[in-house]
Amino acid sequence: MENQKVFCISCFLKPYRIFKDKFPLLSFISFRLITMLVILFILGWALFALMALAPGDIVDQMMQQQLMSQTENGGGSGRDSIFSEEQLAKMREEMGLDKPFTIQYFRWLNRVLVHHDLGVSLISKAPVSFLIKSRIVNSLVLNLISLVFITIFSFLLGVYFSSKAGTKVDLAATFFALFFHAFPGILLLILLQLFASVTSLFPVTAYPDFPASENPLKFIFSYSYHIFLPLFASFLGGIGGTMRMIRSTMLDQMGMPYIMALRSRGISEKRVYLNHAFRNTLNPYITGSANLLASLFSGSLVLEIIFSYPGIGRLMYDAVMQQDVNLVLANNMFISALVLLGMTISDILLAIVDPRIRYGKN
């Protein structure tokens, strides 16, 4: 029996090794995509488990809202005056909440994968896919703009200050980078909002009060004006660590023997910096950019709440507070898929840039 198992495993591994040897990059990409799907599957199951462990459910939330509404209107109070135990049990059965969380998860997977249906919000009764589509674009625009600005200025400043290592300018830049990197993001957002409120130079909300379809050109200018302070806070929080990483990587490269060899051949310092040392800073940045994007998405939750920005983070916060299972799960899975996809893309870019990765062990 053991010989048969070993034979079956070897039958599977042999084609895989042949495929890996002939197509190393494609094999690397396939392995990363499969790993991403497995992680998403486990993450979804864990989310269902956490929601099941949370006290109460959406039916209890609805009952409490009805009780509060009846009390405010001067009606009687008491659980039996609104819902009976049979009615509550029937509501849980209709929503599928009477089943174990594992069964609920596989039912949700079947609905998503087979029918391409994310369900409806248990509170607003609107389709979950519509709610996510209406918010995800705003969060993507905000975080991608932050990532682009952080990337551009991190490379410019990191390369510049690496050439000024040890000078007063470099020490001052390092101090401010560490200061803003360690400064609490939520406190920075609150201070900026107070600044906007006191000075009236900027709006206290981060989104225009009219739709883009009304006047697209006016909306772009208004959006840029509204988003400036939140974007500035995100930029200050992200540039410190990234700039210091690029600066330290450049300094490490400038001390390598191949740099000394290039200088001994009379190659200009500009070419040494930009054509040789700079290219070798891409690997650590590509690896760190996925983590940076993940931190931007996680940080945008607080940003969207404080500045009333209609993004996916604020939608998820409202869904968690209301225990809207369908919306919470879809939000978390969607954001997790974006983060994992970013990490997978960074791994693929690393494999393209550095052949040693794709020819190495997965």
Side-chain angles (χ1 to χ4, degrees), residues 153-228:
F153 283 94
S154 293
F155 272 106
L156 291 175
L157 296 177
V159 172
Y160 174 75
F161 288 122
S162 67
S163 65
K164 304 290 183 182
T167 62
K168 292 181 180 180
V169 176
D170 178 55
L171 291 175
T174 302
F175 170 78
F176 283 108
L178 287 172
F179 177 80
F180 285 112
H181 185 63
F183 198 85
I186 184 172
L187 181 58
L188 181 61
L189 289 167
I190 293 173
L191 290 175
L192 288 175
Q193 192 177 56
L194 286 174
F195 170 78
S197 177
V198 171
T199 62
S200 300
L201 295 175
F202 295 95
V204 294
T205 58
Y207 202 80
D209 56 357
F210 62 94
S213 57
E214 182 178 312
N215 191 334
L217 185 61
K218 182 181 176 182
F219 179 84
I220 292 174
F221 284 104
S222 179
Y223 179 82
S224 303
Y225 176 56
H226 280 74
I227 206 66
F228 179 79

Coordinates of all heavy atoms in Angstrom, one line a residue, residues 153-228:
F153 N 8.0 59.9 -4.9 CA 8.8 60.7 -4.0 C 9.8 59.9 -3.2 O 10.9 60.4 -2.8 CB 7.9 61.6 -3.1 CG 7.3 62.8 -3.8 CD1 6.1 62.7 -4.4 CD2 8.0 63.9 -3.8 CE1 5.5 63.8 -5.0 CE2 7.5 65.1 -4.4 CZ 6.2 65.0 -5.0
S154 N 9.4 58.6 -2.9 CA 10.3 57.8 -2.1 C 11.6 57.5 -2.9 O 12.7 57.6 -2.4 CB 9.6 56.5 -1.8 OG 8.6 56.7 -0.9
F155 N 11.5 57.2 -4.2 CA 12.6 57.0 -5.1 C 13.5 58.3 -5.2 O 14.7 58.2 -5.1 CB 12.2 56.4 -6.4 CG 12.1 54.9 -6.4 CD1 10.8 54.3 -6.4 CD2 13.2 54.1 -6.4 CE1 10.7 53.0 -6.5 CE2 13.1 52.7 -6.4 CZ 11.8 52.2 -6.4
L156 N 12.8 59.4 -5.5 CA 13.5 60.6 -5.7 C 14.3 61.0 -4.4 O 15.5 61.3 -4.5 CB 12.6 61.7 -6.1 CG 11.9 61.6 -7.5 CD1 10.9 62.7 -7.7 CD2 13.0 61.7 -8.6
L157 N 13.6 61.0 -3.3 CA 14.3 61.4 -2.1 C 15.2 60.4 -1.5 O 16.3 60.7 -1.0 CB 13.2 61.7 -1.0 CG 12.2 62.8 -1.3 CD1 11.2 63.0 -0.2 CD2 13.0 64.2 -1.4
G158 N 14.9 59.1 -1.7 CA 15.8 58.0 -1.2 C 17.1 58.0 -2.0 O 18.2 57.9 -1.4
V159 N 17.1 58.2 -3.3 CA 18.3 58.2 -4.1 C 19.1 59.5 -3.8 O 20.3 59.5 -3.6 CB 18.0 58.1 -5.6 CG1 19.2 58.4 -6.4 CG2 17.4 56.8 -5.9
Y160 N 18.4 60.6 -3.6 CA 19.1 61.9 -3.4 C 19.8 61.8 -2.0 O 20.9 62.2 -1.9 CB 18.1 63.0 -3.4 CG 18.7 64.4 -3.0 CD1 19.5 65.0 -3.9 CD2 18.4 64.9 -1.8 CE1 20.1 66.3 -3.5 CE2 18.9 66.1 -1.4 CZ 19.8 66.8 -2.3 OH 20.3 68.0 -1.9
F161 N 19.1 61.4 -1.0 CA 19.6 61.5 0.4 C 20.7 60.4 0.6 O 21.5 60.5 1.5 CB 18.6 61.3 1.4 CG 17.7 62.6 1.6 CD1 16.3 62.5 1.4 CD2 18.3 63.8 1.9 CE1 15.5 63.6 1.5 CE2 17.5 64.9 2.0 CZ 16.1 64.9 1.8
S162 N 20.7 59.3 -0.3 CA 21.7 58.3 -0.2 C 23.1 58.9 -0.7 O 24.1 58.5 -0.2 CB 21.4 57.1 -1.0 OG 21.3 57.4 -2.4
S163 N 23.0 59.9 -1.6 CA 24.2 60.6 -2.0 C 24.7 61.7 -1.0 O 25.8 62.2 -1.2 CB 23.9 61.3 -3.4 OG 23.0 62.3 -3.3
K164 N 23.8 62.0 -0.1 CA 24.2 63.0 1.0 C 24.3 62.3 2.3 O 24.1 63.0 3.4 CB 23.1 64.1 1.0 CG 22.8 64.8 -0.3 CD 23.9 65.7 -0.7 CE 23.6 66.4 -2.0 NZ 24.7 67.3 -2.4
A165 N 24.6 61.0 2.4 CA 24.7 60.3 3.6 C 25.7 60.9 4.6 O 26.8 61.3 4.2 CB 25.1 58.8 3.3
G166 N 25.2 61.1 5.8 CA 26.0 61.7 6.9 C 26.0 63.2 7.0 O 26.5 63.7 8.0
T167 N 25.4 63.9 6.0 CA 25.3 65.3 6.1 C 24.1 65.8 7.0 O 23.3 65.0 7.4 CB 25.1 65.9 4.7 OG1 23.9 65.4 4.1 CG2 26.3 65.5 3.8
K168 N 24.1 67.1 7.3 CA 23.0 67.6 8.1 C 21.6 67.4 7.4 O 20.6 67.2 8.1 CB 23.3 69.1 8.4 CG 24.5 69.3 9.3 CD 24.7 70.8 9.6 CE 25.9 71.0 10.6 NZ 26.1 72.4 10.9
V169 N 21.7 67.6 6.1 CA 20.4 67.4 5.3 C 19.9 66.0 5.5 O 18.7 65.8 5.7 CB 20.6 67.8 3.8 CG1 19.4 67.6 3.0 CG2 21.0 69.3 3.7
D170 N 20.8 65.0 5.4 CA 20.4 63.6 5.5 C 19.9 63.3 6.9 O 18.9 62.6 7.0 CB 21.6 62.8 5.1 CG 21.3 61.3 5.3 OD1 20.3 60.8 4.6 OD2 22.0 60.6 6.0
L171 N 20.5 63.8 7.9 CA 20.1 63.6 9.3 C 18.7 64.2 9.5 O 17.9 63.6 10.2 CB 21.1 64.2 10.2 CG 22.5 63.5 10.3 CD1 23.5 64.3 11.2 CD2 22.4 62.1 10.8
A172 N 18.5 65.4 9.0 CA 17.2 66.0 9.2 C 16.1 65.3 8.4 O 15.0 65.1 9.0 CB 17.2 67.5 8.6
A173 N 16.4 64.8 7.2 CA 15.4 64.0 6.5 C 15.1 62.7 7.2 O 14.0 62.3 7.2 CB 15.9 63.7 5.1
T174 N 16.1 62.0 7.7 CA 15.9 60.8 8.5 C 15.1 61.0 9.7 O 14.2 60.2 10.0 CB 17.3 60.2 8.9 OG1 18.1 60.0 7.7 CG2 17.1 58.9 9.6
F175 N 15.3 62.1 10.4 CA 14.5 62.4 11.6 C 13.1 62.6 11.3 O 12.2 62.0 11.9 CB 15.1 63.7 12.3 CG 14.2 64.2 13.4 CD1 14.2 63.6 14.6 CD2 13.3 65.3 13.1 CE1 13.4 64.1 15.6 CE2 12.5 65.8 14.1 CZ 12.5 65.2 15.4
F176 N 12.8 63.4 10.2 CA 11.4 63.6 9.9 C 10.7 62.4 9.3 O 9.5 62.1 9.5 CB 11.3 64.8 8.9 CG 11.4 66.1 9.5 CD1 12.6 66.9 9.3 CD2 10.4 66.7 10.3 CE1 12.7 68.1 9.8 CE2 10.6 67.9 10.9 CZ 11.7 68.7 10.6
A177 N 11.5 61.5 8.6 CA 10.9 60.3 8.1 C 10.6 59.4 9.2 O 9.5 58.7 9.2 CB 12.0 59.6 7.2
L178 N 11.4 59.2 10.2 CA 11.1 58.4 11.4 C 10.0 59.0 12.2 O 9.1 58.2 12.7 CB 12.4 58.3 12.3 CG 13.5 57.4 11.7 CD1 14.7 57.5 12.6 CD2 13.0 55.9 11.7
F179 N 9.9 60.3 12.3 CA 8.9 61.0 13.1 C 7.5 60.7 12.5 O 6.6 60.2 13.2 CB 9.1 62.5 13.1 CG 8.0 63.2 13.8 CD1 8.0 63.3 15.2 CD2 7.0 63.9 13.1 CE1 7.0 64.0 15.9 CE2 6.0 64.6 13.8 CZ 6.0 64.6 15.2
F180 N 7.3 60.9 11.2 CA 6.0 60.7 10.5 C 5.7 59.2 10.4 O 4.5 58.8 10.4 CB 6.0 61.4 9.2 CG 5.8 62.9 9.3 CD1 6.8 63.7 8.9 CD2 4.7 63.4 9.8 CE1 6.7 65.1 9.0 CE2 4.5 64.8 9.9 CZ 5.5 65.6 9.5
H181 N 6.7 58.4 10.3 CA 6.5 56.9 10.2 C 5.9 56.4 11.5 O 5.1 55.5 11.5 CB 7.7 56.2 9.8 CG 7.6 54.7 9.6 ND1 6.8 54.2 8.6 CD2 8.1 53.6 10.2 CE1 6.8 52.9 8.6 NE2 7.6 52.5 9.6
A182 N 6.4 57.0 12.6 CA 6.0 56.5 14.0 C 4.8 57.3 14.5 O 4.1 56.8 15.5 CB 7.1 56.6 15.0
F183 N 4.4 58.4 13.9 CA 3.3 59.2 14.3 C 2.0 58.4 14.1 O 1.7 57.9 13.0 CB 3.3 60.5 13.6 CG 2.5 61.6 14.3 CD1 3.0 62.3 15.3 CD2 1.1 61.8 13.9 CE1 2.3 63.3 15.9 CE2 0.4 62.8 14.6 CZ 1.0 63.6 15.6
P184 N 1.1 58.4 15.1 CA -0.2 57.6 15.0 C -1.0 58.2 13.8 O -1.3 59.4 13.8 CB -0.9 57.8 16.3 CG 0.2 58.2 17.3 CD 1.3 58.9 16.5
G185 N -1.4 57.4 12.9 CA -2.2 57.9 11.7 C -3.5 58.5 12.1 O -3.9 59.5 11.5
I186 N -4.2 57.9 13.1 CA -5.5 58.4 13.4 C -5.4 59.8 14.0 O -6.2 60.7 13.8 CB -6.2 57.4 14.4 CG1 -7.7 57.9 14.7 CG2 -5.4 57.2 15.7 CD1 -8.5 56.9 15.5
L187 N -4.3 60.0 14.8 CA -4.1 61.4 15.4 C -3.8 62.4 14.4 O -4.3 63.5 14.4 CB -3.0 61.3 16.5 CG -2.7 62.6 17.2 CD1 -3.9 63.1 17.9 CD2 -1.5 62.4 18.2
L188 N -3.0 62.0 13.4 CA -2.7 62.9 12.3 C -3.9 63.3 11.5 O -4.1 64.5 11.1 CB -1.6 62.2 11.4 CG -1.2 63.1 10.1 CD1 -0.5 64.4 10.6 CD2 -0.2 62.2 9.3
L189 N -4.8 62.3 11.2 CA -6.0 62.6 10.5 C -6.9 63.6 11.3 O -7.5 64.5 10.8 CB -6.8 61.3 10.2 CG -6.2 60.4 9.2 CD1 -6.8 59.0 9.2 CD2 -6.3 61.0 7.8
I190 N -7.0 63.4 12.6 CA -7.9 64.2 13.5 C -7.3 65.6 13.5 O -8.0 66.6 13.4 CB -8.0 63.6 14.9 CG1 -8.8 62.3 14.9 CG2 -8.6 64.6 15.8 CD1 -8.8 61.6 16.2
L191 N -6.0 65.8 13.6 CA -5.3 67.1 13.6 C -5.5 67.8 12.3 O -5.8 69.0 12.3 CB -3.8 66.9 13.9 CG -3.4 66.5 15.3 CD1 -1.9 66.3 15.4 CD2 -3.9 67.5 16.3
L192 N -5.4 67.1 11.2 CA -5.7 67.7 9.9 C -7.1 68.2 9.7 O -7.4 69.2 9.1 CB -5.3 66.8 8.8 CG -3.8 66.5 8.6 CD1 -3.5 65.5 7.5 CD2 -3.1 67.9 8.2
Q193 N -8.0 67.4 10.2 CA -9.4 67.8 10.2 C -9.7 69.0 11.0 O -10.5 69.9 10.7 CB -10.4 66.6 10.6 CG -11.8 66.9 10.2 CD -12.7 65.7 10.5 OE1 -12.7 65.2 11.7 NE2 -13.5 65.2 9.6
L194 N -9.1 69.0 12.2 CA -9.2 70.2 13.1 C -8.6 71.5 12.4 O -9.2 72.6 12.4 CB -8.5 70.0 14.4 CG -9.2 69.0 15.4 CD1 -8.3 68.8 16.6 CD2 -10.6 69.6 15.8
F195 N -7.5 71.2 11.7 CA -6.9 72.3 10.9 C -7.9 72.8 9.9 O -8.0 74.1 9.7 CB -5.6 71.9 10.3 CG -5.0 72.8 9.3 CD1 -4.3 73.9 9.7 CD2 -5.1 72.6 7.9 CE1 -3.8 74.8 8.8 CE2 -4.6 73.4 7.0 CZ -3.9 74.6 7.4
A196 N -8.5 71.9 9.1 CA -9.4 72.3 8.1 C -10.7 73.0 8.7 O -11.2 74.0 8.1 CB -9.9 71.1 7.3
S197 N -11.1 72.6 9.9 CA -12.3 73.2 10.5 C -12.0 74.6 11.0 O -12.8 75.5 10.9 CB -12.8 72.3 11.6 OG -13.8 72.9 12.3
V198 N -10.8 74.8 11.6 CA -10.4 76.1 12.2 C -10.1 77.1 11.1 O -10.5 78.3 11.2 CB -9.2 75.9 13.2 CG1 -8.7 77.3 13.6 CG2 -9.7 75.1 14.4
T199 N -9.3 76.7 10.1 CA -8.8 77.6 9.1 C -9.8 77.8 8.0 O -9.7 78.8 7.2 CB -7.5 77.2 8.6 OG1 -7.6 75.9 7.9 CG2 -6.5 77.1 9.7
S200 N -10.7 76.8 7.7 CA -11.6 76.8 6.6 C -10.9 76.9 5.2 O -11.5 77.3 4.2 CB -12.6 78.0 6.7 OG -13.3 78.0 7.9
L201 N -9.6 76.5 5.2 CA -8.9 76.4 4.0 C -9.2 75.2 3.2 O -9.1 75.2 1.9 CB -7.4 76.5 4.3 CG -6.8 77.7 4.9 CD1 -5.3 77.6 5.2 CD2 -7.0 78.9 3.9
F202 N -9.6 74.1 3.8 CA -10.0 72.9 3.2 C -11.3 72.4 3.8 O -11.6 72.7 4.9 CB -8.9 71.8 3.4 CG -7.6 72.2 2.7 CD1 -6.6 72.8 3.5 CD2 -7.4 71.9 1.4 CE1 -5.4 73.1 2.9 CE2 -6.2 72.2 0.8 CZ -5.2 72.8 1.5
P203 N -12.0 71.6 3.0 CA -13.3 71.0 3.6 C -13.0 69.9 4.6 O -12.0 69.3 4.5 CB -14.0 70.5 2.3 CG -12.9 70.2 1.3 CD -11.8 71.3 1.6
V204 N -13.9 69.7 5.5 CA -13.7 68.7 6.5 C -14.2 67.3 6.0 O -14.0 66.3 6.7 CB -14.5 69.1 7.8 CG1 -13.9 70.3 8.4 CG2 -16.0 69.3 7.5
T205 N -14.8 67.3 4.9 CA -15.2 66.0 4.3 C -14.3 65.8 3.1 O -13.7 66.7 2.5 CB -16.7 66.0 3.8 OG1 -16.9 67.1 2.9 CG2 -17.6 66.1 5.0
A206 N -14.2 64.5 2.7 CA -13.2 64.1 1.6 C -13.9 63.8 0.3 O -13.2 63.2 -0.6 CB -12.3 63.0 2.1
Y207 N -15.1 64.2 0.1 CA -15.8 63.9 -1.1 C -16.7 65.0 -1.5 O -17.4 65.6 -0.6 CB -16.5 62.6 -1.0 CG -16.8 61.9 -2.3 CD1 -15.8 61.1 -3.0 CD2 -18.1 62.0 -2.9 CE1 -16.1 60.5 -4.2 CE2 -18.3 61.3 -4.1 CZ -17.3 60.6 -4.7 OH -17.6 60.0 -5.9
P208 N -16.8 65.4 -2.8 CA -17.7 66.4 -3.2 C -19.2 66.1 -2.9 O -19.5 64.9 -2.8 CB -17.5 66.6 -4.7 CG -16.1 65.9 -5.0 CD -16.0 64.9 -3.9
D209 N -20.0 67.1 -2.8 CA -21.4 66.9 -2.5 C -22.3 66.8 -3.7 O -23.5 67.0 -3.7 CB -21.9 68.0 -1.6 CG -21.7 69.4 -2.2 OD1 -21.1 69.5 -3.3 OD2 -22.1 70.4 -1.6
F210 N -21.7 66.6 -4.9 CA -22.5 66.4 -6.1 C -21.9 65.2 -6.9 O -20.7 65.0 -6.8 CB -22.5 67.7 -7.0 CG -21.2 68.1 -7.4 CD1 -20.7 67.8 -8.7 CD2 -20.4 68.9 -6.6 CE1 -19.5 68.2 -9.2 CE2 -19.1 69.4 -7.1 CZ -18.7 69.0 -8.3
P211 N -22.6 64.5 -7.7 CA -22.1 63.4 -8.5 C -21.2 63.8 -9.7 O -21.3 64.9 -10.2 CB -23.4 62.7 -9.0 CG -24.4 63.7 -9.0 CD -24.1 64.7 -7.9
A212 N -20.4 62.9 -10.1 CA -19.5 63.2 -11.2 C -20.2 63.4 -12.5 O -19.8 64.1 -13.4 CB -18.4 62.1 -11.4
S213 N -21.4 62.7 -12.7 CA -22.1 62.8 -13.9 C -22.7 64.2 -14.1 O -23.0 64.6 -15.2 CB -23.3 61.8 -13.9 OG -24.1 61.9 -12.8
E214 N -22.9 64.9 -13.1 CA -23.5 66.3 -13.2 C -22.5 67.2 -13.9 O -23.0 68.0 -14.8 CB -23.8 66.8 -11.8 CG -24.4 68.2 -11.8 CD -24.7 68.6 -10.4 OE1 -25.3 67.8 -9.6 OE2 -24.4 69.8 -10.0
N215 N -21.3 67.2 -13.6 CA -20.3 68.1 -14.2 C -18.9 67.4 -14.0 O -18.2 67.7 -13.0 CB -20.3 69.5 -13.6 CG -19.5 70.5 -14.4 OD1 -18.5 70.1 -15.1 ND2 -19.8 71.8 -14.4
P216 N -18.4 66.6 -15.0 CA -17.2 65.8 -14.8 C -16.0 66.7 -14.5 O -15.2 66.4 -13.6 CB -17.1 65.0 -16.1 CG -18.4 65.0 -16.6 CD -19.1 66.2 -16.2
L217 N -15.8 67.8 -15.3 CA -14.6 68.6 -15.1 C -14.6 69.3 -13.7 O -13.6 69.3 -13.0 CB -14.5 69.7 -16.2 CG -13.3 70.5 -16.2 CD1 -12.0 69.7 -16.4 CD2 -13.4 71.6 -17.3
K218 N -15.8 69.8 -13.3 CA -15.9 70.5 -12.0 C -15.7 69.4 -10.9 O -15.1 69.7 -9.9 CB -17.3 71.1 -11.9 CG -17.5 71.8 -10.6 CD -18.9 72.5 -10.5 CE -19.1 73.1 -9.1 NZ -20.5 73.7 -9.0
F219 N -16.2 68.2 -11.1 CA -16.0 67.2 -10.1 C -14.5 66.8 -9.9 O -14.1 66.6 -8.7 CB -16.8 65.9 -10.6 CG -16.7 64.8 -9.6 CD1 -17.5 64.7 -8.5 CD2 -15.7 63.8 -9.7 CE1 -17.4 63.7 -7.6 CE2 -15.6 62.7 -8.8 CZ -16.5 62.7 -7.7
I220 N -13.7 66.8 -11.0 CA -12.3 66.4 -10.8 C -11.6 67.5 -10.0 O -10.8 67.1 -9.0 CB -11.7 66.3 -12.2 CG1 -12.2 65.1 -13.0 CG2 -10.1 66.2 -12.1 CD1 -11.7 65.0 -14.4
F221 N -11.9 68.8 -10.2 CA -11.2 69.8 -9.4 C -11.7 69.8 -8.0 O -10.9 69.9 -7.0 CB -11.5 71.2 -10.1 CG -10.7 71.5 -11.3 CD1 -11.2 71.4 -12.6 CD2 -9.3 71.8 -11.2 CE1 -10.4 71.6 -13.7 CE2 -8.5 72.0 -12.3 CZ -9.1 71.9 -13.5
S222 N -13.0 69.6 -7.8 CA -13.6 69.6 -6.5 C -13.1 68.3 -5.7 O -12.8 68.4 -4.5 CB -15.1 69.5 -6.5 OG -15.7 69.5 -5.3
Y223 N -13.0 67.2 -6.4 CA -12.5 66.0 -5.8 C -11.0 66.2 -5.3 O -10.6 65.8 -4.2 CB -12.6 64.8 -6.7 CG -12.1 63.5 -6.2 CD1 -12.9 62.7 -5.3 CD2 -10.8 63.0 -6.5 CE1 -12.4 61.5 -4.8 CE2 -10.3 61.8 -5.9 CZ -11.1 61.1 -5.1 OH -10.7 59.9 -4.6
S224 N -10.2 66.8 -6.2 CA -8.8 67.0 -5.8 C -8.7 67.9 -4.6 O -7.8 67.7 -3.7 CB -8.1 67.7 -7.0 OG -8.1 66.9 -8.1
Y225 N -9.6 68.9 -4.5 CA -9.6 69.9 -3.4 C -10.0 69.1 -2.1 O -9.4 69.3 -1.0 CB -10.5 71.0 -3.7 CG -10.7 72.0 -2.6 CD1 -9.6 72.7 -2.0 CD2 -12.0 72.3 -2.2 CE1 -9.8 73.6 -1.0 CE2 -12.2 73.3 -1.2 CZ -11.1 73.9 -0.6 OH -11.2 74.8 0.4
H226 N -11.0 68.3 -2.2 CA -11.6 67.6 -1.0 C -10.6 66.5 -0.5 O -10.5 66.3 0.7 CB -12.9 67.0 -1.3 CG -14.1 67.9 -1.3 ND1 -14.3 68.9 -2.2 CD2 -15.1 68.1 -0.3 CE1 -15.4 69.6 -1.9 NE2 -15.9 69.1 -0.8
I227 N -9.9 65.9 -1.4 CA -9.1 64.7 -1.1 C -7.7 65.1 -0.6 O -6.9 64.3 -0.2 CB -9.0 63.8 -2.3 CG1 -8.8 62.3 -1.8 CG2 -7.9 64.1 -3.3 CD1 -9.9 61.7 -1.0
F228 N -7.3 66.4 -0.7 CA -5.9 66.8 -0.5 C -5.5 66.5 0.9 O -4.4 65.8 1.1 CB -5.8 68.3 -0.7 CG -4.4 68.8 -0.5 CD1 -3.4 68.7 -1.4 CD2 -4.1 69.4 0.8 CE1 -2.1 69.1 -1.2 CE2 -2.8 69.9 1.0 CZ -1.8 69.7 0.0

